[in-house]
Amino acid sequence: MSADVSALLVGFARTLRHAGVAAGPDRVQTMLRAVDALGDITPGRLYWAGRQTLCAEPDDLAIYDAAFAAYFGGHRPAGDRFGPAAPAPPSIAAPYTSGPPGEASDTDEEPLLLGLSASTVEILRQRDFALLTPRERDEVRRLLALLGPEPATRRSRRRRPARGGEVDPARTLRAALRHAGEPTRLARRRRDERPRRLVLLVDVSGSMSPYADALLRFAHAAVRRRPTRTEVFTLGTRLTRITRALRHRDPDAALHAASVAIPDWHGGTRLADALKAFLDRWGQRGTARGSIVVVFSDGWERGSPDALAAQTHRLSRLAYRLIWVNPHRGKAGFAPLAGGMAAALPHLDDFVAGHTVDALDELVRVIAK
Amino acid sequence: MTTPLPDGPGALASPAALAEALATTGYLADEGLATAGFLALKLGRPLFLEGEAGVGKTAFAQALAAATGATFVRLQCYEGLDAAQALYDWDFPRQILHLRAAEAAATAAATATGTPPDAAAIEAGLYDRRFLIARPLLQALETSPCVLLVDEVDRADDEFEAFLLEVLAEAAITVPELGRIAAETPPLTVLTSNRTREVHDALKRRCLYHWVEHPGFDREVAILRERLPAVTERLAAQVAAAAGRMRELDLIKPPGVAESIDWAGALVALGAQTLDPDLAAATLGAVLKYREDLTRVQATGLDALVAARP
């Protein structure tokens, strides 16, 4: 391959990286080898070689198509040489993109009031997130970082050596080999306990905006506690998976990465559609199966309550336990009468408040139940 | 790594050649999938396949083995899968039997000749290759050429993934009692995932990635004709068109190619030449696996579903 072509391809990979596909140097190397292996360069070969070596997940594919069209000036070549191209599946999920870390999203300044220093932790724990001043919010953020929900466990197929339990034939015989085949002691094993998967679905629509920061911090603490057994999605007008963004060790960097990834921050709500997108793309396949699913939402639904009821029911049948967290629940005079909330209610295992640190502490206990 | 298969003159020199070879085994691949398979062969990289259930990911691996004349080894992943079930295990009962037999023979020899039994030799004999039970990964390393399918890798634990990474990278394993067992030529590995959880980046980075899509109308008709010789051209076209319409209906489980084949098979079994609303009503259970989906399709009207393609 000529140096010009290599440079062109490396430039394309760089464009793709800027667009948000994590195409590292080793992937670029593989792409160069793949293009080489295919021989004569045609747009079709270039397209597939690049796509199969630089992309790693379905969300990358739309970005790749756009970058390919922009960089090479053409469009995706007719994909199916042996038949017409299949239409791309409709998707309301947003591609994951990451931006440069930098300025914090929270810049609103409030004059500092004297006497705030008297706020004790106890009072702060019971203060509604929506009513916090910036100073208090910093304190509360520290408290939130300490929460780390530990999901309930289930019995695994995997067995561990144990004192009691069923006889472990393999270990017993292996031990017997050491004594000329004389079984001297019966080794035993027992089934292992494993934490269930925890799935957090956070509503980030406008009506939830006073709580979104606190809830995402809670989600961050959960992801930090069990990085491989926790999944976090945001619901709004679309579904966004932010698990990866939240894996950042630093809460502020993680929150920033998540907020960059969420395109519909503080927008409207299409709760039923977003739930359906979650169930179709993730839940049904297994993410929600046997998991503890927590929905953080005020249930304020613009669409029809029936659709929300149907999707909630579907979710409740897949999940081991479905917990709904509504910040308004903890307030005096609240009744779950709003169309969406009333529709979802019959399908829930637990319905809890989530408006204060104390309420989230309670949620941690419910998750571990 | 080297290619597991010989680069014969003209043999599999391009993605199109691979597509042809696959077609002779009854698998009709599109350009993307053929390119993915070709690159996996050529670069000696594992191929990571994702896509809706029933689009033919597993069948692709089988066809790849058949087309290249390689042995097909399948490892089905599940939660709790560990090295003893995926790699190898010692056959303890047979070892004990061997020990007892050797002991008896040695004692008999000792009483006859007066020489003491050779304990070291008996012990060495215990860890003979014949007492090692090869599970899929070891089988794949010992067979050459070979196509290894690691099915639904997202179902295994992350610990297993890390272990798999090592085996794939080295194309060899070490059995403490026997030493290192290396593959003559690394197996061509196909991994599939249903995205129930995110597979680790380290694993994906070593693989070529391909998202398998539902086939277009013409290819689906061709697949049906290929798989079911008894199906008429007209019936295949009707089934493919109806399946295509169902995929646009926003169902819980849109039908994959596997379901189309099942459906056409059911219709053929009923002796159908063409698809009509009554036959469709009787056989919808072969395509749709949720009551909600059935209701939805019935609500849109079976007449519209089976209508000739415009």
Side-chain angles (χ1 to χ4, degrees):
Chain A
M1 193 189 310
S2 72
D4 285 356
V5 176
S6 300
L8 187 73
L9 294 178
V10 171
F12 171 57
R14 192 178 305 131
T15 309
L16 200 60
R17 257 202 309 276
H18 281 303
V21 173
D26 48 343
R27 284 192 199 215
V28 178
Q29 280 300 326
T30 314
M31 173 185 65
L32 295 178
R33 288 180 56 204
V35 171
D36 226 14
L38 286 171
D40 298 335
I41 297 172
T42 66
R45 287 178 172 181
L46 201 58
Y47 172 84
W48 287 112
R51 190 174 123 163
Q52 285 159 2
T53 49
L54 298 175
C55 295
E57 56 177 300
D59 287 349
D60 288 347
L61 300 182
I63 306 175
Y64 179 85
D65 282 357
F68 189 84
Y71 192 82
F72 292 108
H75 286 285
R76 169 183 173 170
D80 193 343
R81 192 195 289 166
F82 315 102
S91 161
I92 67 162
Y96 166 83
T97 52
S98 68
E103 22 97 62
S105 54
D106 191 4
T107 50
D108 57 322
E109 277 298 322
E110 226 172 85
L112 291 176
L113 296 172
L114 286 172
L116 262 189
S117 55
S119 301
T120 64
V121 169
E122 266 322 299
I123 295 169
L124 274 182
R125 288 179 67 93
Q126 291 164 26
R127 179 75 62 95
D128 192 312
F129 294 132
L131 309 174
L132 294 176
T133 65
R135 272 276 285 279
E136 291 175 322
R137 195 153 41 202
D138 284 345
E139 277 303 319
V140 163
R141 283 175 178 175
R142 269 190 280 281
L143 291 175
L144 285 172
L146 298 176
L147 294 177
E150 194 70 52
T153 58
R154 63 182 171 76
R155 294 180 76 201
S156 153
R157 290 278 309 154
R158 186 167 278 191
R159 290 173 167 84
R160 296 249 179 248
R163 270 172 186 282
E166 56 177 1
V167 172
D168 182 343
R171 274 202 316 133
T172 304
L173 283 168
R174 195 160 36 201
L177 277 178
R178 270 184 245 125
H179 304 281
E182 219 56 64
T184 49
R185 195 180 62 83
L186 289 179
R188 292 178 187 275
R189 63 183 182 185
R190 193 172 265 167
R191 283 173 71 171
D192 202 10
E193 293 276 319
R194 301 199 50 133
R196 287 181 182 273
R197 200 193 325 263
L198 180 63
V199 180
L200 306 176
L201 303 169
V202 186
D203 183 344
V204 292
S205 60
S207 61
M208 285 289 285
S209 57
Y211 299 99
D213 178 77
L215 296 180
L216 288 177
R217 276 168 197 276
F218 178 81
H220 176 252
V223 171
R224 292 291 306 159
R225 171 62 64 98
R226 294 239 171 243
T228 59
R229 310 291 295 173
T230 310
E231 287 287 343
V232 187
F233 297 84
T234 61
L235 312 172
T237 51
R238 54 205 325 197
L239 174 82
T240 315
R241 179 169 179 270
I242 56 167
T243 316
R244 275 216 224 170
L246 290 183
R247 291 219 179 110
H248 254 286
R249 185 181 299 273
D250 176 51
D252 291 310
L255 266 272
H256 177 75
S259 68
V260 169
I262 303 169
D264 52 347
W265 189 255
H266 302 336
T269 331
R270 272 164 48 212
L271 212 48
D273 289 351
L275 269 185
K276 182 173 177 346
F278 165 72
L279 284 163
D280 286 349
R281 285 199 51 183
W282 295 88
Q284 186 92 30
R285 297 227 181 93
T287 306
R289 235 176 258 277
S291 311
I292 297 173
V293 180
V294 187
V295 180
F296 296 93
S297 172
D298 53 6
W300 202 85
E301 167 68 331
R302 208 193 288 164
S304 100
D306 289 346
L308 182 61
Q311 296 306 325
T312 315
H313 188 205
R314 205 176 140 202
L315 182 55
S316 76
R317 275 179 299 168
L318 283 170
Y320 170 69
R321 274 197 10 253
L322 178 57
I323 303 167
W324 196 293
V325 181
N326 187 336
H328 303 311
R329 160 124 209 221
K331 294 173 188 168
F334 169 78
L337 298 177
M341 198 63 249
L345 210 52
H347 308 295
L348 308 180
D349 293 303
D350 285 289
F351 183 45
V352 298
H355 62 309
T356 64
V357 176
D358 261 356
L360 287 181
D361 220 10
E362 172 63 25
L363 174 63
V364 169
R365 274 193 290 280
V366 172
I367 288 172
K369 195 157 72 177
Chain B
M1 274 195 229
T2 52
T3 21
L5 302 157
D7 276 322
L12 303 182
S14 67
L18 177 63
E20 260 170 53
L22 288 170
T24 60
T25 73
Y27 191 95
L28 305 178
D30 65 9
E31 188 185 356
L33 193 54
T35 310
F38 174 77
L39 286 177
L41 283 167
K42 194 89 177 170
L43 303 183
R45 288 250 175 167
L47 178 58
F48 195 94
L49 292 181
E50 284 187 336
E52 302 295 335
V55 290
K57 303 186 288 286
T58 303
F60 175 71
Q62 282 163 332
L64 205 56
T68 56
T71 314
F72 179 67
V73 177
R74 174 179 181 157
L75 172 66
Q76 171 68 50
C77 295
Y78 53 89
E79 196 268 315
L81 180 67
D82 59 26
Q85 290 145 337
L87 204 53
Y88 69 86
D89 206 358
W90 287 103
D91 189 345
F92 298 113
R94 279 193 64 202
Q95 278 178 309
I96 300 257
L97 214 62
H98 170 78
L99 190 62
R100 286 286 160 90
E103 200 179 36
T107 318
T111 43
T113 62
T115 47
D118 184 358
I122 295 178
E123 201 190 314
L126 272 180
Y127 293 101
D128 195 77
R129 174 63 186 85
R130 68 197 163 111
F131 296 123
L132 195 69
I133 307 169
R135 306 278 193 220
L137 288 181
L138 181 57
Q139 275 172 31
L141 293 181
E142 288 188 326
T143 322
S144 171
C146 162
V147 171
L148 168 67
L149 169 67
V150 182
D151 217 4
E152 302 186 324
V153 68
D154 52 328
R155 288 200 188 199
D157 320 285
D158 1 299
E159 299 95 317
F160 182 75
E161 234 173 73
F163 161 76
L164 192 63
L165 201 64
E166 194 189 325
V167 176
L168 291 183
E170 303 276 315
I173 55 144
T174 304
V175 181
E177 296 88 350
L178 282 182
R180 191 177 147 94
I181 301 178
E184 213 172 291
T185 50
L188 174 63
T189 311
V190 178
L191 301 108
T192 73
S193 155
N194 285 327
R195 292 181 66 67
T196 62
R197 71 178 174 84
E198 198 173 1
V199 171
H200 203 280
D201 231 25
L203 183 59
K204 280 188 157 182
R205 227 176 42 228
R206 285 161 175 79
C207 302
L208 297 167
Y209 176 80
H210 186 65
W211 176 265
V212 187
E213 283 179 47
H214 288 301
F217 172 75
D218 291 336
R219 200 154 57 84
E220 187 155 17
V221 173
I223 291 172
L224 290 173
R225 300 274 288 160
E226 179 74 43
R227 284 300 172 95
L228 303 161
V231 80
T232 62
E233 176 81 44
R234 182 171 157 73
L235 184 61
Q238 283 179 314
V239 166
R245 283 197 190 97
M246 284 189 218
R247 284 176 202 139
E248 286 158 18
L249 279 182
D250 210 15
L251 303 176
I252 293 177
K253 169 72 186 81
V257 189
E259 279 76 21
S260 302
I261 296 173
D262 281 353
W263 193 18
L267 291 165
V268 167
L270 291 174
Q273 301 288 317
T274 59
L275 183 62
D276 60 50
D278 291 338
L279 267 174
T283 50
L284 269 187
V287 208
L288 301 174
K289 308 297 164 75
Y290 285 87
R291 197 180 60 84
E292 291 88 334
D293 287 353
L294 273 173
T295 322
R296 185 151 202 167
V297 167
Q298 274 156 357
T300 58
L302 292 177
D303 295 310
L305 184 73
V306 303
R309 199 176 163 86

